[in-house]
């Protein structure tokens, strides 16, 4: 089991833990409870789909919650910040 640190946090007391179906909940990373890459749309790199109404559905994506997820988010966070600076 991993210890909570700057790159990993597990909130087992959360009513939704784990919020996605996973094989091993012990390795589930809650650090990015809400994915900061959501705003990137199709460029987020995760396993998502769009609903019939055009809403991005990340139900099947565990990328930010799994091993290597922190590194993936950090590698793409500049693109998210650039979206915010255009506003």
């Amino acid at each position: 089991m991993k210890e909570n640190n700057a790159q990993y946090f597990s909130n087992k007391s959360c009513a939704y833990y784990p919020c996605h179906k996973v094989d091993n909940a012990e390795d589930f990373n809650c650090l990015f409870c809400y994915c900061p890459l959501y705003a990137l749309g199709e460029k987020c790199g995760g396993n998502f789909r769009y609903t019939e109404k055009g809403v991005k559905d990340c139900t099947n994506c565990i990328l930010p919650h799994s091993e290597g997820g922190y590194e993936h988010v950090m590698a793409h966070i500049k693109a998210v910040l650039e979206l915010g600076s255009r506003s």
Side-chain angles (χ1 to χ4, degrees), residues 47-68:
N47 182 23
F48 64 91
R49 70 178 190 91
Y50 284 101
T51 67
E52 291 176 8
K53 294 184 178 183
V55 177
K56 187 176 176 184
D57 175 8
C58 303
T59 303
N60 294 319
C61 182
I62 61 166
L63 181 62
H65 306 293
S66 56
E67 187 174 341

Side-chain angles (χ1 to χ4, degrees), residues 20-87:
H20 295 273
K21 291 182 182 180
V22 292
D23 292 332
N24 184 1
E26 290 297 315
D27 292 332
F28 193 85
N29 191 349
C30 301
L31 183 64
F32 300 116
C33 181
Y34 293 94
C35 183
L37 304 183
Y38 181 88
L40 294 180
E42 296 179 3
K43 297 178 182 176
C44 71
N47 182 23
F48 64 91
R49 70 178 190 91
Y50 284 101
T51 67
E52 291 176 8
K53 294 184 178 183
V55 177
K56 187 176 176 184
D57 175 8
C58 303
T59 303
N60 294 319
C61 182
I62 61 166
L63 181 62
H65 306 293
S66 56
E67 187 174 341
Y70 176 85
E71 290 80 8
H72 179 82
V73 169
M74 291 298 103
H76 294 82
I77 200 68
K78 183 177 180 183
V80 175
L81 296 173
E82 288 173 354
L83 284 175
S85 68
R86 293 183 207 158
S87 305

